[in-house]
Amino acid sequence: MQQLVMPKPELIIVLASPRGFCAGVERAITIVDKALEKYGAPVYVRHEIVHNKFVVNQLEAKGAVFVQELDEVPANAHVIFSAHGVPKSVPADAEARDLHYFDATCPLVSKVHREVEHHHAEGRTVLLIGHKGHPEVIGTMGQVPEGSVWLVETVADVATLPSALQGNDLAYATQTTLSVDEVVEIIAALKARFPEIYGPRKEDICYATTNRQLAVRKLAETVDALIVIGAPNSSNSVRLVEVAKNNGCAEARLYQRAMEIDWAWLQNKKRLGISAGASAPEVLVEEVIDACRDHFCVTLAEIKVVEEDVYFNIPGQLRS
């Protein structure tokens, strides 16, 4: 007796665009690739070059060795600093230990570093909007002497800042990967309490973070569920889930790989949105789509909010 094969349920997948790799991430990964090509393995990398295990594993397979601190790197070796940026003490330590280093800090993070240095040189106390313990925050605060920067994580933190700051020259800067909406609220609170506070000429949240959040905001209004592909320690990926939930899609989840997806969760869903954090490669998006095809009859669509054409050069020593 012939067994009846049930047809797969239909699912419309709507892709957010832009999504995935940004210019800063592309630059950082290229720096590691080019260093391996030029100098051969091993090339050492301090911390994850970007917050994505798939990317890290690929580079490890080519001969990159990831370390937490420079004391794990042998003398005269080549070492690369991650895209998130490092305190000034790190390159100073590398030079003291005769290490050959390349700085893969995203140029937009470096811009924030220079802002903080400028404000410190002008005698201002800097209020940095960001998340405690994030590598970018550690790197930014480490551009100036300890105590020169106060960290502000929430609107509530603004009210707890010491009254003594009222009389000081103040400036603010922000981590580049935060929620645009959340930062707007914190900046408004800072300006309300400290009307004379200095801010950046151009906002610090990077173009890629802004664009991916805008795409997810529009996507969230049109889908039943939304998957963000990214790592749990990736600030910009976590923020995309928050943006989706705050803009009409309560069923938003973060997954690193297709193998993690809870397929029962997607039962009875008709429209699934997919985006990817700035450190997640497009191959992982394709992996999720292919996995969906195993369970559903898939139709693809896309919401595009802007075309990105940003490119950052790699160090001259690696361009040949």
Side-chain angles (χ1 to χ4, degrees):
M1 187 175 184
Q2 192 172 9
Q3 190 173 7
L4 215 63
V5 178
M6 296 296 291
K8 295 176 184 177
E10 294 189 0
L11 179 70
I12 297 172
I13 293 179
V14 189
L15 300 171
S17 180
R19 62 183 176 273
F21 277 179
C22 64
V25 165
E26 292 271 15
R27 175 180 180 270
I29 294 169
T30 301
I31 287 173
V32 180
D33 277 331
K34 293 295 184 183
L36 285 165
E37 287 176 18
K38 184 165 185 176
Y39 304 110
V43 165
Y44 294 83
V45 185
R46 183 184 179 274
H47 294 178
E48 291 185 334
I49 188 68
V50 297
H51 283 155
N52 188 277
K53 285 291 184 187
F54 180 85
V55 171
V56 167
N57 291 342
Q58 281 193 317
L59 294 173
E60 282 181 330
K62 296 178 182 179
V65 177
F66 290 84
V67 299
Q68 285 302 304
E69 298 301 340
L70 293 185
D71 58 12
E72 302 171 57
V73 181
N76 295 312
H78 292 87
V79 63
I80 296 166
F81 306 148
S82 79
H84 310 102
V86 295
K88 279 191 170 179
S89 59
V90 173
D93 185 25
E95 290 171 6
R97 299 188 63 244
D98 293 324
L99 300 177
H100 310 284
Y101 69 86
F102 294 99
D103 189 352
T105 300
C106 173
L108 298 178
V109 174
S110 295
K111 165 186 169 288
V112 179
H113 290 182
R114 303 295 80 80
E115 287 172 5
V116 170
E117 285 185 303
H118 170 73
H119 289 308
H120 177 70
E122 293 292 317
R124 301 181 189 116
T125 299
V126 177
L127 306 179
L128 178 63
I129 304 169
H131 294 298
K132 184 178 181 180
H134 189 279
E136 183 182 331
V137 167
I138 293 169
T140 300
M141 295 181 76
Q143 300 305 303
V144 292
E146 190 174 349
S148 304
V149 179
W150 291 73
L151 184 62
V152 177
E153 295 190 85
T154 65
V155 169
D157 287 346
V158 176
T160 66
L161 290 168
S163 301
L165 291 175
Q166 192 77 45
N168 291 354
D169 281 334
L170 287 177
Y172 71 84
T174 71
Q175 183 181 332
T176 63
T177 55
L178 299 178
S179 162
V180 175
D181 295 336
E182 183 181 10
V183 167
V184 166
E185 292 181 6
I186 295 173
I187 291 173
L190 286 173
K191 288 181 176 178
R193 185 168 179 199
F194 308 110
E196 304 301 318
I197 194 169
Y198 287 84
R201 292 188 184 92
K202 184 179 179 184
E203 291 303 327
D204 293 334
I205 295 180
C206 82
Y207 79 94
T209 297
T210 301
N211 291 345
R212 280 148 191 72
Q213 289 182 18
L214 178 59
V216 164
R217 186 179 292 115
K218 289 186 176 295
L219 187 59
E221 299 168 355
T222 71
V223 296
D224 307 317
L226 192 145
I227 290 174
V228 174
I229 302 164
N233 62 337
S234 166
S235 174
N236 75 86
S237 300
V238 173
R239 301 290 85 73
L240 289 177
V241 175
E242 292 174 358
V243 168
K245 289 181 176 180
N246 291 336
N247 286 273
C249 185
E251 295 289 326
R253 294 188 180 185
L254 180 70
Y255 289 116
Q256 296 189 79
R257 300 290 300 272
M259 65 187 73
E260 299 174 1
I261 295 173
D262 175 8
W263 298 107
W265 167 63
L266 286 177
Q267 279 186 356
N268 302 318
K269 303 292 194 300
K270 303 299 182 185
R271 290 174 64 87
L272 171 66
I274 296 179
S275 185
S279 50
E282 184 65 13
V283 65
L284 298 186
V285 176
E286 294 167 1
E287 177 186 270
V288 168
I289 294 170
D290 287 343
C292 287
R293 288 194 171 110
D294 291 338
H295 295 81
F296 302 94
C297 181
V298 169
T299 302
L300 288 179
E302 186 175 64
I303 287 181
K304 178 176 285 190
V305 297
V306 66
E307 196 76 44
E308 291 183 347
D309 58 1
V310 179
Y311 174 80
F312 296 134
N313 279 323
I314 65 173
Q317 307 98 300
L318 297 176
R319 288 182 208 164
S320 58

